[in-house]
């Protein structure tokens, strides 16, 4: 059966209140003669055998949970569940069940868990009345008590009755006295039974019982009972951990006894939930919901009480920022704030706002600036977690602080630069901390979360600040690892990577990849700020050095950076790429990769395919004129032939336009000399662009020597000479400015139809405008 909508897993609840998987099959609802009614049938998908045959009883309470679960009790101690692969199948069967019982399919429970008349009788009974007769609390009755507690868990009515009985008779304290007796007598059987009893009482999910069990008087004995799990060969030592290993550290003495008691209780109850009790299955998700709520409201109360005590918080901040505070004390203070911020996540949004504003007013950000620069790894890690809470709460608050700080501090000690330095200096081989800090930086520099602020100038002000004071710190590792003394590059087209020396060990490569990810984000979101920076630092050329990295993931990051720039289809960027001959390292990487069909190959092909599909004329002309000889042998994709076709079509169009121009405009009388044309072209490329009202800085001037231009291209020109038997005088000759000098024939098509000779072009040689 191929219908995945009806594909289900069948579960049954065993005696230990654990769900057993009975197999996978396909469910159907049909009339079964033997059962005299509509029934649910599940046949195994492996052999078609019958996994389940269950009559839809009109009085059975079916529950629909999490959109794909249907749970019900077949008998008092026999619970069943169907877990559907698809929500649609669950809805379909649920409608069948509701149809049989005459219920609206929008309900989540088909029958009231407590019968209406029975519920009324239950409410009318006086609280002192014994709804369940509890056995006498003595050692000989422990097995009977354990059976009783376990048996009521499947019935909501009986759970309520037992909880009320336990509360009214003060039964829990009597049980804990038995525990002490059993432990003194080393009565292992009794201790195992008490484990089942106390665990069962926790699963009753009643806040009134929790108040008793988690009181100072009882909680350690409750933990003691939970140490004696019958499934374990030796009991756990939870009490020893809570009393000896886990020490409560008061960073500043807490004078409020109620607050101290609440902190102790919350820690111990959290330990019970997280460490001692088994993780509930999806079917038992509500068994301990009240326990979760108990912890939640305790945390809310702790945060509120601490927040209101301004004297306490002021003292904490004073010690945190005091140079005289010793390292151990400072570590405790930072860990306190980390836990304090974690607790704050339990607050309602308006209360959480007040909480963080209180911290900001008291000086949390300057305090973080101090501790994030410390040598202690644990302190830095905790400070990073606190910083992440603040950034998540209000990026604008952090941005406002650092911009004000910049007016009176050196760049080196600015909070954002401290964060960047911590990212760069992360000692973790996997750079776990650096990844976290990179995410926080991206949030801070993301213009999307600057738009909702009342301060409309936040975007321009902050980005100006970031590029003036912080960007050089972020890019320092990238520029260092791609400098000429670090990377010696063989410029031969198609050279083997073994000829390339690039000092990128794995950890350094990971760091450079993180920095490139941030820079790629900037290219997409920061418009002229990042454009100015790329031009002034000739950043793309430095990034593309990493195409030679032995780490393919880093080469892909460099390629992704270039791809994002080209994806903007900005002619300013296009001129920068062509003038700087920046396709060369990409094509080298493609040729070095050979015939391997891998991610690098696909990514490079996609880059050129994008240029072809989007018909970016300036880039197409540059690629075809300078690299086609090296690329024409690649025939497993049509990308490069397609680029050549686009180039030739554009050239034909330009010639047609030229031929349609009146001859008088083509005469020498109206033609400027070659030198004037050369100067105009250079001015055309270097002229400033205006974007968003800002003047774009002229690209960095670079002096190119003869050796700067790849030898391979001269070889291509020589090959071309040999093939076409051209005169030596017609070959390109190097000019003093690093360009080529072309001598054109007097044919109408040469040099765009002009008769001028010795016209010199820059790197954009041969492009028509």
């Amino acid at each position: 059966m191929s219908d995945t909508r009806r594909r289900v897993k069948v579960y049954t609840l065993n005696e230990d209140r654990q769900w057993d998987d009975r197999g996978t099959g396909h469910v159907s609802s049909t009339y079964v003669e033997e059962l005299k009614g509509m029934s649910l049938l599940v046949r195994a998908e492996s052999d078609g055998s019958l996994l389940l045959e269950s009559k839809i009883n009109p009085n059975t309470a079916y529950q629909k949970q999490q959109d794909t679960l249907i749970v019900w009790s077949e008998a008092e101690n026999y619970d069943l569940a169907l877990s559907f692969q698809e929500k649609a199948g669950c809805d379909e069967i649920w409608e069948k069940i509701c149809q049989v019982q005459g219920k609206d399919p929008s309900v989540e429970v088909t029958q009231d868990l407590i019968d209406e008349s029975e519920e009324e009788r239950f409410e009318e009974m006086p609280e002192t009345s014994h709804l369940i007769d509890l056995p006498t609390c003595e050692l000989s009755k422990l097995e009977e008590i354990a059976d009783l507690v376990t048996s009521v868990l499947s019935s909501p009515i009986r759970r309520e009755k037992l909880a009320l009985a336990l509360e009214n008779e003060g039964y829990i304290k009597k049980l804990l006295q038995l525990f002490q007796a059993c432990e003194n007598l080393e009565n292992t059987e009794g201790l195992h039974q008490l484990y089942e009893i106390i665990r069962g009482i926790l699963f009753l999910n009643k806040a009134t019982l929790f108040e008793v069990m988690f009181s100072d008087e009882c909680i350690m004995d409750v933990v003691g009972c939970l140490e004696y799990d019958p499934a374990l060969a030796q009991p756990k030592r939870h009490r020893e951990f809570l009393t000896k290993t886990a020490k409560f550290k008061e960073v500043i003495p807490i004078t409020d006894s109620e607050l101290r008691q609440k902190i102790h209780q919350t820690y111990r109850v959290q330990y019970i939930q997280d460490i001692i009790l088994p993780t509930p299955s999806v079917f038992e998700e509500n068994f301990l919901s009240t326990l979760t709520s108990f912890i939640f409201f305790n945390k809310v109360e702790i945060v509120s009480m601490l927040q209101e005590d301004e004297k306490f918080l002021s003292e904490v901040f004073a010690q945190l920022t005091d140079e005289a505070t010793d390292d151990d004390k400072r570590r405790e203070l930072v860990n306190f704030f980390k836990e304090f911020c974690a607790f704050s996540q339990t607050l309602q949004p308006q209360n959480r706002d007040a909480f963080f504003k209180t911290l900001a007013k008291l000086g949390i950000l300057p305090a973080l600036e101090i501790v994030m620069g410390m040598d202690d790894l644990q302190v830095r890690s905790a400070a990073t977690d606190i910083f992440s809470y603040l950034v998540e709460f209000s990026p604008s608050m952090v941005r406002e602080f650092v911009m004000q700080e910049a007016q009176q501090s050196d760049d080196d000690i600015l909070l954002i630069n401290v964060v960047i330095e911590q990212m760069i200096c992360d000692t973790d081989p996997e750079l776990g901390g650096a990844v976290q800090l990179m995410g926080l930086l991206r949030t801070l520099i993301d213009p999307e979360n600057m738009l909702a602020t009342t301060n409309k100038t936040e975007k321009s002000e902050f980005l100006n600040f970031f590029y003036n004071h912080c960007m050089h710190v972020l890019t320092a590792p990238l520029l260092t690892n791609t400098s000429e003394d670090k990377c010696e590059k063989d410029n031969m087209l198609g050279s083997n990577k073994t000829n390339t020396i690039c000092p990128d060990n794995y950890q350094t490569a990971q760091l450079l990849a993180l920095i490139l990810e941030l820079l790629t984000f900037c290219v997409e979101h920061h418009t002229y700020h990042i454009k100015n920076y790329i031009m002034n630092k000739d950043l793309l050329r430095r990034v593309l050095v990493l195409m030679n990295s032995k780490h393919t993931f880093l080469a892909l990051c460099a390629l992704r950076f270039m791809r994002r720039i080209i994806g903007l289809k900005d002619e300013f960027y296009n001129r920068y790429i062509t003038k700087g001959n920046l396709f060369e390292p990409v094509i080298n990487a493609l040729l070095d990769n050979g015939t391997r069909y891998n991610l690098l190959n696909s990514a490079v092909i996609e880059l050129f395919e994008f240029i072809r599909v989007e018909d970016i004329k300036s880039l197409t002309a540059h690629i075809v004129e300078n690299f086609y000889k090296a690329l024409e042998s690649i025939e497993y994709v049509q990308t490069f032939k397609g680029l050549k076709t686009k180039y030739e079509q554009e050239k034909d169009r330009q010639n047609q336009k030229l031929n349609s121009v009146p001859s008088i405009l083509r005469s020498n009388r109206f033609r400027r000399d070659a030198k004037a044309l050369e100067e105009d072209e250079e001015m055309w490329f270097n002229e400033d662009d205006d974007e968003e009202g800002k003047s774009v800085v002229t690209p960095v001037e670079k002096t190119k020597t003869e050796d700067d231009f790849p030898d391979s291209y001269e070889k291509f020109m020589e090959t071309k000479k040999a093939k076409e038997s051209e005169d030596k005088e017609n070959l390109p000759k190097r000019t003093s400015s690093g360009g080529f000098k072309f001598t054109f024939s007097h044919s109408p098509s040469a040099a765009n139809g002009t008769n001028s000779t010795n016209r010199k072009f820059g790197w954009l040689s041969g492009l028509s405008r």
Side-chain angles (χ1 to χ4, degrees):
M1 189 172 183
S2 60
D3 187 1
T4 57
R5 287 182 308 140
R6 297 290 188 92
R7 192 168 184 263
V8 295
K9 276 185 177 293
V10 180
Y11 292 92
T12 58
L13 193 66
N14 62 28
E15 294 178 355
D16 298 324
R17 306 297 301 167
Q18 301 295 319
W19 289 93
D20 294 331
D21 185 350
R22 295 301 184 188
T24 303
H26 291 84
V27 64
S28 61
S29 59
T30 185
Y31 185 85
V32 177
E33 186 65 36
E34 294 177 4
L35 300 177
K36 305 294 183 185
M38 291 292 292
S39 304
L40 298 176
L41 302 180
V42 180
R43 295 196 175 276
E45 65 179 1
S46 56
D47 56 7
S49 60
L50 198 62
L51 294 177
L52 175 69
E53 185 178 59
S54 173
K55 181 181 177 182
I56 303 175
N57 193 311
N59 299 316
T60 297
Y62 290 86
Q63 295 183 57
K64 185 182 179 187
Q65 301 176 6
Q66 298 180 348
D67 291 335
T68 55
L69 288 172
I70 297 177
V71 184
W72 72 98
S73 295
E74 195 86 328
E76 187 169 316
N77 286 318
Y78 186 62
D79 287 7
L80 286 162
L82 294 179
S83 176
F84 288 76
Q85 180 172 327
E86 296 184 12
K87 178 181 181 297
C90 183
D91 293 342
E92 209 170 304
I93 295 299
W94 184 250
E95 287 181 11
K96 295 287 185 182
I97 293 170
C98 292
Q99 185 180 348
V100 171
Q101 295 197 342
K103 300 289 181 180
D104 186 338
S106 63
V107 301
E108 293 188 351
V109 181
T110 60
Q111 302 290 330
D112 292 333
L113 296 178
I114 299 177
D115 182 73
E116 202 171 296
S117 58
E118 186 177 359
E119 187 177 18
E120 288 173 2
R121 291 198 304 273
F122 177 67
E123 289 175 350
E124 289 170 3
M125 287 183 177
E127 290 187 5
T128 54
S129 134
H130 290 229
L131 301 176
I132 285 185
D133 289 328
L134 294 170
T136 310
C137 195
E138 55 189 42
L139 290 177
S140 60
K141 298 287 187 178
L142 282 177
E143 185 177 359
E144 186 180 344
I145 298 169
D147 290 342
L148 172 63
V149 172
T150 304
S151 69
V152 305
L153 294 179
S154 61
S155 168
I157 305 172
R158 301 187 70 206
R159 284 207 305 267
E160 291 285 342
K161 291 179 179 179
L162 177 60
L164 193 54
L166 290 170
E167 183 185 348
N168 289 337
E169 296 188 19
Y171 207 78
I172 291 173
K173 291 184 179 180
K174 296 176 186 176
L175 286 170
L176 295 177
Q177 289 171 359
L178 286 182
F179 164 72
Q180 294 172 4
C182 284
E183 203 165 38
N184 290 334
L185 296 170
E186 296 183 357
N187 181 350
T188 305
E189 185 180 358
L191 291 169
H192 287 168
Q193 288 163 348
L194 278 163
Y195 168 86
E196 298 290 351
I197 293 167
I198 294 299
R199 181 173 174 272
I201 293 174
L202 286 171
F203 281 139
L204 292 178
N205 209 20
K206 294 297 292 182
T208 50
L209 299 182
F210 291 161
E211 291 290 349
V212 177
M213 298 173 80
F214 301 147
S215 64
D216 283 349
E217 180 186 357
C218 299
I219 191 166
M220 295 311 291
D221 286 334
V222 169
V223 172
C225 291
L226 296 173
E227 290 179 352
Y228 292 94
D229 185 347
L232 301 174
Q234 293 293 328
K236 295 285 187 181
R237 297 179 178 270
H238 296 303
R239 284 171 294 174
E240 182 178 327
F241 175 83
L242 289 172
T243 54
K244 295 180 181 178
T245 307
K247 297 292 184 183
F248 176 58
K249 297 178 180 178
E250 292 182 80
V251 290
I252 302 293
I254 295 175
T255 55
D256 189 333
S257 59
E258 183 186 353
L259 176 59
R260 286 170 58 88
Q261 186 274 333
K262 192 70 67 178
I263 292 171
H264 284 304
Q265 183 189 62
T266 305
Y267 177 81
R268 290 163 180 166
V269 177
Q270 187 88 60
Y271 183 86
I272 290 172
Q273 184 187 49
D274 293 345
I275 306 300
I276 300 178
L277 293 177
T279 304
S281 70
V282 291
F283 308 109
E284 297 173 322
E285 59 179 359
N286 295 322
F287 266 31
L288 292 173
S289 59
T290 306
L291 181 62
T292 303
S293 299
F294 184 92
I295 295 168
F296 175 86
F297 289 114
N298 264 19
K299 289 181 177 180
V300 170
E301 200 169 341
I302 290 168
V303 173
S304 300
M305 292 170 77
L306 283 172
Q307 186 181 344
E308 290 166 6
D309 190 347
E310 287 197 11
K311 183 179 177 183
F312 173 84
L313 286 180
S314 298
E315 182 62 26
V316 172
F317 273 106
Q319 291 201 25
L320 186 62
T321 54
D322 189 349
E323 292 182 3
T325 305
D326 63 69
D327 291 346
D328 290 340
K329 181 71 171 178
R330 203 186 307 273
R331 188 182 306 117
E332 291 175 6
L333 289 163
V334 174
N335 284 328
F336 163 78
F337 267 116
K338 175 185 172 182
E339 194 166 359
F340 195 24
C341 290
F343 273 31
S344 74
Q345 302 306 296
T346 62
L347 297 173
Q348 293 296 317
Q350 63 271 24
N351 295 334
R352 190 159 62 245
D353 288 354
F355 168 80
F356 280 112
K357 285 174 182 174
T358 300
L359 291 188
K361 186 174 77 172
L362 290 169
I364 186 67
L365 286 166
L368 278 180
E369 197 168 64
I370 294 171
V371 295
M372 288 188 80
M374 294 177 63
D375 293 333
D376 191 310
L377 182 61
Q378 187 180 352
V379 169
R380 291 206 310 267
S381 176
T384 299
D385 289 337
I386 297 169
F387 185 64
S388 70
Y389 285 120
L390 294 170
V391 171
E392 182 181 348
F393 163 69
S394 175
S396 289
M397 180 182 75
V398 178
R399 286 192 284 261
E400 183 180 357
F401 167 76
V402 295
M403 284 192 289
Q404 290 175 353
E405 182 190 30
Q407 298 172 8
Q408 51 196 0
S409 302
D410 295 333
D411 285 0
D412 292 344
I413 59 173
L414 293 178
L415 177 58
I416 290 193
N417 285 344
V418 172
V419 171
I420 294 172
E421 285 164 10
Q422 291 306 315
M423 182 182 92
I424 291 169
C425 301
D426 188 6
T427 55
D428 178 9
E430 298 297 326
L431 295 186
V435 172
Q436 181 185 8
L437 289 169
M438 191 272 289
L440 298 176
L441 282 171
R442 183 160 59 185
T443 300
L444 288 174
I445 65 175
D446 185 357
E448 291 298 319
N449 61 49
M450 300 178 193
L451 300 177
T453 179
T454 53
N455 181 3
K456 296 180 181 179
T457 61
E458 181 184 17
K459 177 180 175 181
S460 59
E461 285 182 0
F462 181 75
L463 290 182
N464 283 335
F465 156 80
F466 182 77
Y467 280 86
N468 287 330
H469 298 277
C470 308
M471 184 59 98
H472 67 281
V473 182
L474 177 65
T475 56
L478 178 64
L479 297 176
T480 301
N481 281 279
T482 55
S483 62
E484 290 183 3
D485 59 332
K486 288 268 186 158
C487 292
E488 298 172 9
K489 190 176 171 201
D490 183 352
N491 282 326
M492 291 297 292
L493 200 63
S495 64
N496 193 295
K497 283 190 180 181
T498 56
N499 297 330
T500 303
I501 302 169
C502 207
D504 50 344
N505 58 62
Y506 179 70
Q507 191 168 353
T508 304
Q510 275 194 308
L511 175 62
L512 297 181
L514 284 179
I515 293 170
L516 279 174
E517 187 175 337
L518 265 180
L519 292 174
T520 304
F521 178 85
C522 292
V523 166
E524 187 171 3
H525 294 90
H526 288 178
T527 60
Y528 64 84
H529 289 92
I530 188 66
K531 186 188 295 184
N532 284 355
Y533 194 84
I534 289 172
M535 302 300 174
N536 283 326
K537 296 292 184 183
D538 200 8
L539 189 62
L540 181 55
R541 181 184 303 281
R542 301 292 282 273
V543 167
L544 290 175
V545 168
L546 300 175
M547 291 296 297
N548 297 289
S549 172
K550 64 183 178 182
H551 302 287
T552 305
F553 72 87
L554 182 56
L556 286 166
C557 285
L559 184 64
R560 194 178 304 121
F561 180 70
M562 186 179 193
R563 172 66 175 81
R564 193 63 53 87
I565 289 174
I566 291 175
L568 296 176
K569 297 189 285 187
D570 183 330
E571 273 304 311
F572 197 94
Y573 276 129
N574 293 345
R575 296 197 298 270
Y576 165 65
I577 290 169
T578 54
K579 185 174 183 181
N581 196 37
L582 298 181
F583 278 110
E584 180 203 348
V586 176
I587 292 171
N588 276 340
L590 176 65
L591 299 177
D592 286 339
N593 192 60
T595 58
R596 283 173 293 179
Y597 178 52
N598 54 15
L599 190 55
L600 180 62
N601 175 274
S602 297
V604 174
I605 296 294
E606 191 278 335
L607 173 71
F608 289 107
E609 182 66 14
F610 175 81
I611 294 169
R612 185 192 69 80
V613 171
E614 296 296 324
D615 195 16
I616 305 176
K617 294 179 174 54
S618 57
L619 298 183
T620 300
H622 176 75
I623 293 164
V624 172
E625 290 176 358
N626 292 280
F627 302 103
Y628 189 71
K629 287 290 183 184
L631 298 172
E632 63 181 345
S633 61
I634 299 177
E635 296 183 343
Y636 52 86
V637 289
Q638 298 302 306
T639 298
F640 301 109
K641 288 186 177 178
L643 283 170
K644 181 74 177 297
T645 302
K646 290 268 188 185
Y647 171 73
E648 289 172 345
Q649 289 172 350
E650 177 62 20
K651 202 170 181 182
D652 289 343
R653 277 196 296 271
Q654 293 297 329
N655 287 336
Q656 288 173 9
K657 285 183 180 179
L658 189 65
N659 291 333
S660 65
V661 175
S663 58
I664 188 171
L665 296 180
R666 298 198 301 269
S667 69
N668 288 333
R669 181 179 173 186
F670 293 95
R671 186 174 299 116
R672 288 171 290 177
D673 64 351
K675 183 176 180 181
L677 284 171
E678 173 194 335
E679 290 173 353
D680 285 351
E681 184 172 279
E682 292 301 319
M683 287 177 62
W684 167 74
F685 178 82
N686 288 322
E687 64 186 4
D688 290 351
D689 282 3
D690 270 53
E691 184 176 333
E692 298 183 22
K694 298 287 183 178
S695 177
V696 179
V697 180
T698 305
V700 144
E701 293 184 5
K702 292 186 67 69
T703 304
K704 290 187 175 293
T705 64
E706 187 169 338
D707 293 335
D708 286 337
F709 195 76
D711 295 339
S712 52
Y713 302 133
E714 295 194 35
K715 291 183 178 180
F716 289 153
M717 297 307 296
E718 291 171 7
T719 304
K720 185 177 179 182
K721 180 189 76 169
K723 286 184 178 179
E724 298 177 3
S725 301
E726 290 180 349
D727 229 339
K728 190 172 182 180
E729 284 75 10
N730 289 334
L731 283 178
K733 297 177 182 179
R734 181 81 60 181
T735 66
S736 59
S737 64
F740 283 100
K741 186 180 292 181
F742 285 85
T743 303
F744 292 99
S745 68
H746 293 280
S747 63
S749 61
N752 292 339
T754 68
N755 293 325
S756 62
T757 58
N758 296 333
R759 180 180 177 186
K760 186 178 73 174
F761 282 77
W763 292 100
L764 283 169
S765 55
L767 291 186
S768 14
R769 292 186 286 123

